[in-house]
Amino acid sequence: MKTDAADTLSPTEYYSLIRAQIEHEDNLIGQRLSWFVASQSFLFTAYAIVVSNIRPNIPAHHQQLMLYNVIPVAAIATCALLYCTTLAGHLAIRNLRRIYEQETKARPMAFPPVHGFRRTQTLGESAPLFLPPIFLVLWILLLITGRGAP
C-alpha cells in the first residue's frame, strides 16, 4: 500500500511520522491502563466496604443492597469499555506497523524497527490486553456468587 506521505517525505521524515503516531497511540493505551487500574482499585474498595457492612442478622439498607449489585455492574462496564479502547489502540498501532513495513519493502530504510521487535511488542502489550478481561471475569464471579448473599 503506497501512501502519498511516503512519496513526498524523506525516509527519516516518514519514519519519524509513523513512529510519532505509534508513540501517541501507545501513550493513550498507557493512560487508559492507569485510569483502569485506579478505577478498579476504587471500585474494589467501595465493594469491600459495602460487603463488610452487611450483617446477616441486621436488615440492610436499600442503598447498601443497591450498591452491592451496582458496583460490580459498573466495574464490568468499565472493563468492557476499557478493553474496547485498548484493542482499538492496539489495532491502530498494528496498522501503522503494517503500513511502515510495506513501505520499507518497496524502499528499504536503515532504521531500527518502528515499534520494537515482535517479542518485546508481545510482552509489552500483555498487561493492557489481559488485565481488563481478568478483572471482567473477577467481577462477573463476584456478581454471580454474591447474588443471594445479603
Side-chain angles (χ1 to χ4, degrees):
M1 172 158 111
K2 196 75 164 158
T3 61
D4 293 334
D7 291 334
T8 58
L9 298 173
S10 74
T12 303
E13 292 170 327
Y14 186 71
Y15 176 86
S16 296
L17 176 69
I18 296 291
R19 177 104 176 116
Q21 290 178 327
I22 288 174
E23 286 175 0
H24 174 71
E25 290 294 336
D26 208 27
N27 286 335
L28 284 176
I29 290 171
Q31 290 171 1
R32 291 171 184 149
L33 187 62
S34 293
W35 178 83
F36 174 72
V37 170
S39 71
Q40 293 303 300
S41 173
F42 171 77
L43 290 166
F44 265 115
T45 301
Y47 188 75
I49 290 169
V50 169
V51 168
S52 68
N53 284 314
I54 295 176
R55 305 282 184 235
N57 298 331
I58 301 171
H61 294 297
H62 173 71
Q63 288 90 353
Q64 281 178 304
L65 295 176
M66 190 166 62
L67 285 171
Y68 181 76
N69 292 305
V70 169
I71 291 172
V73 172
I76 289 167
T78 302
C79 292
L81 289 172
L82 183 90
Y83 189 66
C84 288
T85 61
T86 301
L87 208 51
H90 173 73
L91 293 173
I93 289 171
R94 192 171 77 183
N95 287 336
L96 287 164
R97 283 194 315 250
R98 183 182 46 79
I99 289 168
Y100 182 77
E101 287 168 6
Q102 288 175 348
E103 177 59 29
T104 57
K105 283 180 186 174
R107 183 174 61 157
M109 299 177 206
F111 297 108
V114 74
H115 190 228
F117 296 97
R118 178 60 59 198
R119 185 177 304 169
T120 55
Q121 290 169 15
T122 303
L123 291 172
E125 294 167 347
S126 61
L129 291 176
F130 293 125
L131 275 178
I134 289 169
F135 274 89
L136 182 72
V137 168
L138 292 174
W139 281 110
I140 289 171
L141 285 172
L142 282 174
L143 189 64
I144 291 170
T145 59
R147 276 294 174 198

